[in-house]
Amino acid sequence: GLSAIPVFGWILARFGHRTAPFLVTGSLAVIWLTFNLICSEWPLYIVYIFSSWHRQFFFSTFFTFVVSEFPVEVFGQLAGLANLLAGMLSGTQNPLLELTFEDFAGDFTPVLAFQLALAALLCISALAAFCRELQQRRSSSSCSMDTGGAAKALDVASPQGASADELALQVVGGATHLGSEASHEHICATAKAAGVLSL
């Protein structure tokens, strides 16, 4: 916890709480489950470190997401529901142990491989969501730069005392000039930046 929490805080501040923490948590799970499949003593040290980090990231990611996405008034209910589900799922440990010792002759490889496959699936899903979020941020940043440029051009080109209709036409023309397929949101953002539309 002493080493994982500062890293989690940096990831949260740098990338937000929606996708990056899930990606890192899934990656940690894939790492320690992969090394856990190696039948030797030396991977156990790696498993101990990464599984500890994974546990810390898992709970931190969950509670950070809940407190950020839902009203504070329902935080206790959601946390309690999560603990209830976790307790119910922990009841599957005994059947899994019985299955491992009786049907797999004490070989934990099938169970670990199944867990690894689930972790890899979640990790891939989180990676896709993270890449999509980065692309949206870049598009939003580019749109903001274009809007600022259009606002400056409008400020220079607009004569004093021009009517609102004339300014609106200039805004639409400027936004269209920025891209032949300018979206309605882009035009509205440009208009707001120019002061034609009220915020």
Side-chain angles (χ1 to χ4, degrees):
L2 293 177
S3 58
I5 288 300
V7 177
F8 180 83
W10 179 85
I11 293 173
L12 205 63
R14 178 67 178 83
F15 300 104
H17 68 278
R18 291 181 180 272
T19 58
F22 291 93
L23 175 59
V24 177
T25 303
S27 301
L28 290 171
V30 169
I31 292 173
W32 79 264
L33 285 170
T34 299
F35 279 97
N36 213 19
L37 288 173
I38 302 176
C39 296
S40 183
E41 181 180 349
W42 66 268
L44 296 179
Y45 301 99
I46 301 177
V47 169
Y48 176 78
I49 294 173
F50 281 94
S51 62
S52 300
W53 270 52
H54 170 260
R55 180 180 179 84
Q56 189 64 58
F57 267 78
F58 181 87
F59 288 106
S60 298
T61 297
F62 171 76
F63 287 112
T64 300
F65 185 84
V66 170
V67 78
S68 300
E69 292 294 325
F70 298 95
V72 179
E73 293 77 10
V74 299
F75 176 79
Q77 298 175 4
L78 294 175
L81 178 61
N83 289 328
L84 175 63
L85 292 176
M88 294 174 62
L89 289 175
S90 66
T92 61
Q93 294 181 5
N94 289 335
L96 286 175
L97 283 174
E98 183 178 357
L99 176 68
T100 301
F101 285 115
E102 293 184 1
D103 295 348
F104 300 143
D107 184 10
F108 284 86
T109 301
V111 178
L112 292 174
F114 178 73
Q115 292 179 333
L116 178 59
L118 288 179
L121 180 61
L122 293 175
C123 188
I124 293 173
S125 301
L127 178 60
F130 178 71
C131 293
R132 185 169 58 251
E133 184 182 39
L134 283 182
Q135 185 178 6
Q136 291 175 351
R137 287 186 179 184
R138 291 172 181 171
S139 300
S140 177
S141 177
S142 176
C143 180
S144 298
M145 293 176 61
D146 291 345
T147 301
K152 291 181 180 179
L154 180 63
D155 183 61
V156 174
S158 298
Q160 295 294 329
S163 66
D165 291 339
E166 291 173 344
L167 289 175
L169 288 174
Q170 292 183 32
V171 168
V172 174
T176 306
H177 177 70
L178 292 174
S180 59
E181 298 180 355
S183 64
H184 174 72
E185 291 80 8
H186 195 161
I187 295 174
C188 289
T190 309
K192 289 179 180 179
V196 176
L197 298 179
S198 61
L199 297 175

